């Protein structure tokens, strides 16, 4: 665990949850703090989960308390062990560690069953034979009270017998459920005799065929928290209406530990969709190339895109924890990765749209080594040698045949600085006879300007990047952009969010040339292509010596300008 995780979370005044925890420690209500992160293993984690992970594990770190990793695996029809693996990998990658505290709600199936029997014995739960549809009908609405089930007043003995036989597999799926006996007139719909067990004749990825009844989430979650001695059970606002049920179960069963549930606002981010169901549609419909597509805001997508985990942690620290629903602009996440990589990413030269420049007065066989800083503001990151020779590539957009006055790059009669090398002056250009396209540019260099300054003090405003043609590496580059063209793609009920997919969210450039230093970099490394943005060597497609790069983010926020932000 690195120090910056703690620094990030402690920079600001305490959020309301950390304030509660500090008060509980001060008052002696708790001597130690235990939190948990409880994903359901039915999909991949996304940036919203990162907020919850940073909160729960962050509080653990700050208080020297454990944060439990708990899989809420009560729905075997949607869950898989592949998801369990990917979730653990993602949490670790984000920089957090649960040590020995790995738990599964399915480990508590026996205890949960015993507690249910206890509720039946207390007259606080009953087996109900209404169908799912009837249960919904009987539940009533926000304005009308519910009606009591005709099975509500079954004798304890009959309930015990039926529940035991549900477990033994005697009844069909959907024919019976176990319900808590609370209050059909409660203004809170969750308290109107909620279902706590259902029959599901589905094998579970951990318990196999041992069970054919499974506990419901609301019933399971609070008991799991209590069994583990969680002190603060932090969840998103949609669970606020479930808190009375959480407390009812634990109070009724008089569990030795009664964790406090506290709700906070979930992360909502513009230009993306965050629900697992919608993410699944994008993956299954082939709109993206899998869960880890670099345009996706899944943790695996962000990793593949090249986001360092520290950037995600500082984003989460920056947005903070509040009680009111709000939207965070995608630009905030992009700025977080820019700020992070600005500090850490070595600078390199990469030419995305190369055009050849021939320096007529430079000796044909000579190759010079020019010293280039890996990070101009951080000398401790060292320097590297860049080969320079007679033929180089520059960026197509750094030359204009008829440049406007304020264009300070290369053009007829102009002189420009090659970063870390020489001043060069335009001589002539060669065009393709058929297409009229410029195929090469001829220049001369001034040998007295090595390193980029003219001894006579003449001013040259423009500095451009370049690579030496013979030594450069060909490097396919993918320019990624936001996946959606509008801030709220799923805001309208009758419009399919997929109608707002950005057709330009990925551009593949096949002709890019990069400096030879990239040959020695590991897949996953992040760099800044000077003047172009932050890129990473793709984790899967990049091989040592044959880089394939993903653009993580541009150097500046081009979306802000378009929207007049
Ligand atoms: P989704 O809504 O994407 O389907 P989920 O809430 O069903 O996700 P879970 O596996 O149940 O996914 O979530 C695990 C934890 O992560 C929960 O405590 C949940 O509150 C939290 N979480 C999920 N989405 C967000 C979000 N957008 N912001 C903050 N926390 C979130
Ligand atoms: Mg959920």
């Amino acid at each position: 665990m690195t120090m910056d995780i703690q620094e990030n979370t402690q920079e600001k005044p305490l959020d309301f949850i950390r304030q509660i925890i500090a008060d509980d420690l001060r008052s002696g209500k708790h001597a130690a703090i235990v939190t948990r992160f409880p994903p359901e293993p039915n999909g991949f984690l996304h940036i919203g989960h990162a907020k919850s992970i940073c909160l729960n594990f962050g509080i653990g770190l700050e208080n020297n308390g454990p944060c439990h990793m708990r899989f809420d695996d009560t729905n075997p029809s949607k869950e898989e062990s592949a998801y369990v693996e990917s979730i653990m990998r993602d949490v670790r990658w984000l920089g957090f560690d649960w040590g020995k505290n790995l738990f599964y709600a399915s480990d508590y199936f026996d205890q949960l069953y015993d507690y249910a029997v206890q509720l039946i014995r207390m007259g606080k739960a009953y087996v109900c034979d209404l169908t799912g549809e009837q249960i919904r009908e009987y539940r009533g609405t926000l304005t009308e009270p519910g009606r009591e089930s005709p099975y509500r007043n079954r004798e304890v003995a009959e309930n015990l017998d039926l529940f035991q036989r549900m477990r033994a597999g005697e009844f069909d799926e959907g024919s019976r459920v176990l319900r808590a006996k609370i209050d059909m007139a409660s203004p809170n719909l969750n308290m109107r005799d909620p279902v706590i067990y259902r029959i599901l004749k589905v094998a579970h990825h951990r318990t196999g065929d041992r069970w054919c009844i499974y506990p419901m989430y609301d019933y399971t979650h609070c008991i799991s928290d209590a069994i583990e001695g969680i002190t603060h059970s932090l969840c998103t606002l949609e669970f606020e209406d479930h808190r009375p049920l959480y407390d009812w179960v634990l109070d009724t069963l008089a569990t030795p530990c009664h964790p406090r549930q506290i709700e906070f606002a979930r992360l909502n981010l513009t230009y993306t969709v965050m629900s697992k169901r919608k993410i699944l549609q994008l993956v299954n419909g082939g709109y993206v190339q899998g869960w880890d597509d670099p345009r996706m805001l899944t943790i695996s997508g962000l990793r593949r895109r090249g986001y360092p985990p520290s950037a995600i942690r500082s984003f989460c620290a920056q947005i903070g924890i509040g009680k009111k629903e709000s939207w965070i602009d995608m630009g905030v996440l992009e700025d977080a990765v820019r700020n992070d990589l600005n500090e850490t990413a070595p600078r390199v030269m990469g030419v995305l749209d190369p055009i050849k420049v021939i320096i007529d007065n430079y000796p044909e066989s000579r190759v010079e080594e020019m010293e280039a800083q890996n990070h101009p503001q951080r000398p401790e990151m060292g320097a590297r040698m860049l080969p320079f020779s007679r033929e180089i590539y520059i960026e197509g957009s750094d030359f204009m045949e008829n440049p406007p006055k304020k264009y300070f790059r290369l053009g007829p009669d102009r002189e420009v600085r090659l970063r870390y090398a020489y001043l060069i002056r335009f001589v002539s250009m060669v065009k393709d006879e058929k297409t009229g396209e410029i195929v090469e540019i001829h220049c001369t260099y001034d040998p007295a300007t090595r390193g980029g300054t003219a001894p006579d003090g003449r001013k040259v405003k423009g500095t451009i990047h370049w690579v030496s043609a013979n030594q450069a590496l060909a490097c396919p580059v993918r320019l990624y952009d936001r996946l959606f063209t509008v801030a709220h793609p799923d805001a309208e009920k009758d419009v399919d969010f997929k109608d707002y997919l950005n057709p330009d969210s990925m551009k593949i450039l096949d002709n890019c040339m990069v400096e030879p230093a990239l040959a020695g970099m590991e897949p996953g490394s992040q760099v800044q292509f000077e003047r172009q943005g932050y890129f990473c060597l793709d984790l899967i497609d990049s091989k040592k010596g044959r880089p394939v790069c993903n653009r993580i983010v541009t150097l500046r926020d081009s979306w802000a300008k378009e929207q007049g932000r």
Side-chain angles (χ1 to χ4, degrees):
M1 202 73 56
T2 50
M3 274 311 291
D4 57 309
I5 298 180
Q6 299 216 349
E7 280 163 19
N8 275 342
T9 46
Q10 287 181 342
E11 266 165 21
K12 292 206 262 180
L14 295 184
D15 57 61
F16 80 100
I17 294 181
R18 288 179 165 89
Q19 189 60 58
I20 291 172
I21 288 176
D23 293 345
D24 286 351
L25 285 168
R26 202 175 308 115
S27 72
K29 180 175 177 195
H30 296 293
I33 301 301
V34 187
T35 52
R36 87 286 171 267
F37 173 63
E40 190 184 341
N42 65 351
F44 288 74
L45 297 182
H46 53 61
I47 183 77
H49 294 115
K51 177 175 178 175
S52 175
I53 293 167
C54 288
L55 175 67
N56 282 295
F57 282 95
I59 287 174
L61 279 170
E62 291 151 26
N63 295 288
N64 292 317
C67 175
H68 293 186
M69 178 77 192
R70 180 194 324 134
F71 288 97
D72 244 312
D73 53 350
T74 53
N75 187 1
S77 49
K78 285 193 181 164
E79 294 160 3
E80 287 175 29
S81 39
Y83 293 131
V84 171
E85 297 303 318
S86 88
I87 289 170
M88 295 205 279
R89 178 183 177 200
D90 287 350
V91 174
R92 283 206 188 95
W93 178 77
L94 277 173
F96 299 108
D97 186 3
W98 50 89
K100 290 185 192 139
N101 299 299
L102 172 62
F103 302 97
Y104 295 84
S106 54
D107 289 341
Y108 311 135
F109 281 172
D110 286 304
Q111 276 159 288
L112 289 158
Y113 181 84
D114 292 345
Y115 275 127
V117 169
Q118 201 175 315
L119 285 178
I120 294 173
R121 289 219 164 91
M122 297 164 83
K124 298 287 188 185
Y126 62 97
V127 173
C128 180
D129 302 356
L130 294 180
T131 64
E133 203 173 314
Q134 286 169 325
I135 290 179
R136 265 189 298 282
E137 267 174 42
Y138 275 69
R139 188 176 293 135
T141 63
L142 284 173
T143 49
E144 281 167 52
R147 279 179 293 144
E148 295 192 351
S149 160
Y151 306 97
R152 196 173 199 260
N153 296 314
R154 270 182 167 147
E155 293 295 321
V156 168
E158 188 186 359
N159 282 321
L160 285 174
D161 174 62
L162 287 172
F163 188 50
Q164 192 279 325
R165 288 164 63 197
M166 275 170 66
R167 179 189 187 166
E170 281 187 35
F171 309 123
D172 289 340
E173 254 181 46
S175 63
R176 291 196 156 95
V177 292
L178 184 71
R179 299 176 69 174
K181 193 170 178 177
I182 309 179
D183 178 7
M184 288 308 290
S186 168
N188 183 338
L189 295 178
N190 295 308
M191 299 298 273
R192 295 185 187 171
D193 291 9
V195 173
I196 58 174
Y197 261 95
R198 65 212 191 286
I199 301 171
L200 266 184
K201 303 206 166 167
V202 179
H204 187 279
H205 67 105
R206 298 193 73 246
T207 57
D209 291 328
R210 231 160 65 69
W211 294 89
C212 63
I213 56 170
Y214 291 95
M216 301 298 286
Y217 176 85
D218 277 336
Y219 172 73
T220 309
H221 197 84
C222 51
I223 295 178
S224 307
D225 281 348
I227 291 172
E228 292 175 18
I230 302 298
T231 54
H232 299 81
S233 178
L234 313 177
C235 61
T236 36
L237 282 177
E238 68 271 24
F239 290 101
E240 193 169 7
D241 289 345
H242 298 241
R243 181 164 18 103
L245 178 55
Y246 184 104
D247 289 332
W248 180 91
V249 172
L250 298 186
D251 284 341
T252 307
L253 290 168
T255 48
C257 157
H258 189 140
R260 172 165 177 196
Q261 174 177 310
I262 307 171
E263 307 85 18
F264 63 94
R266 62 194 292 113
L267 168 63
N268 297 305
L269 199 59
T270 58
Y271 292 94
T272 190
V273 293
M274 205 100 86
S275 105
K276 281 183 203 153
R277 195 175 50 80
K278 287 176 188 152
I279 295 177
L280 194 63
Q281 280 184 51
L282 293 174
V283 174
N284 289 347
Y287 298 97
V288 293
Q289 298 166 350
W291 286 95
D292 66 346
D293 186 297
R295 292 164 293 180
M296 299 270 271
L297 293 189
T298 51
I299 304 298
S300 46
L302 289 165
R303 173 168 57 231
R304 179 107 190 253
R305 175 82 165 253
Y307 269 67
S310 51
I312 300 176
R313 291 196 303 265
S314 48
F315 167 73
C316 291
Q318 189 190 340
I319 60 174
I321 298 293
K323 278 193 251 198
K324 270 232 306 274
E325 284 295 349
S326 67
W327 284 83
I328 303 291
D329 194 281
M330 180 70 97
V332 177
L333 177 63
E334 291 164 347
D335 269 342
V337 74
R338 268 186 207 107
N339 292 339
D340 187 289
L341 292 174
N342 184 37
E343 295 298 316
T344 57
R347 276 49 174 165
V348 297
M349 305 258 224
V351 179
L352 300 182
D353 172 28
I355 179 165
K356 188 172 266 184
V357 171
I358 297 167
I359 300 164
D360 293 333
N361 61 339
Y362 195 88
E364 229 162 272
S365 57
R366 185 189 294 175
V367 180
E368 269 182 275
E369 296 279 321
M370 317 304 283
E371 186 174 286
Q373 298 303 311
N374 290 335
H375 194 305
Q377 287 83 47
R378 302 186 65 174
E380 71 277 14
M381 285 175 70
R384 66 197 185 282
M385 300 314 278
L386 275 178
F388 180 81
S389 65
R390 180 180 155 91
E391 296 194 3
I392 62 174
Y393 291 112
I394 67 167
E395 204 68 67
S397 59
D398 283 335
F399 176 81
M400 270 182 95
E401 197 177 347
N402 299 299
K405 237 188 155 170
K406 288 249 161 92
Y407 183 83
F408 298 116
R409 293 169 261 172
L410 196 60
D413 297 326
R414 296 194 182 207
E415 192 171 40
V416 76
R417 179 180 300 103
L418 295 175
R419 178 94 157 138
Y420 297 122
Y422 293 101
L423 301 182
I424 57 169
R425 178 173 287 282
F426 176 87
V427 175
S428 64
M429 63 192 153
V430 179
K431 287 185 179 177
D432 183 303
E433 276 177 16
K434 284 195 200 114
T435 63
E437 208 184 322
I438 301 166
V439 289
E440 63 184 44
I441 298 167
H442 287 260
C443 290
T444 53
Y445 86 117
D446 179 351
T449 58
R450 197 174 199 277
T453 38
D456 62 4
R458 70 182 185 271
K459 287 240 157 53
V460 173
K461 265 201 170 168
T463 301
I464 64 174
H465 60 277
W466 54 275
V467 291
S468 176
N470 269 332
Q471 289 81 14
L473 297 173
C475 172
V477 167
R478 303 146 179 168
L479 298 183
Y480 290 113
D481 201 348
R482 296 179 183 177
L483 191 52
F484 293 95
T485 53
V486 297
H488 303 279
D490 52 1
E492 294 144 85
K493 275 217 176 66
D494 38 345
V495 183
D496 186 345
F497 70 97
K498 298 193 289 299
D499 291 353
Y500 294 116
L501 281 164
N502 177 5
D504 298 320
S505 61
M506 176 171 73
K507 280 189 209 137
I508 299 180
L509 307 178
D510 286 320
N511 302 317
C512 311
M513 302 300 280
V514 298
E515 63 167 85
L518 270 81
M521 291 185 186
E522 295 290 338
S525 311
Q526 292 97 350
V527 292
Q528 185 197 84
F529 284 7
E530 293 210 18
R531 303 171 65 220
Q532 295 289 12
Y534 294 99
F535 292 74
C536 89
L537 282 75
D538 188 75
L539 272 168
I540 294 170
D541 298 327
S542 231
K543 301 282 176 281
K544 262 279 179 74
R546 281 190 298 119
V548 175
C549 284
N550 302 332
R551 182 170 72 195
I552 307 167
V553 69
T554 53
L555 288 182
R556 260 166 242 96
D557 184 353
S558 52
W559 288 75
K561 219 178 2 183
E562 276 166 37
Q563 291 165 43
R565 261 207 285 131

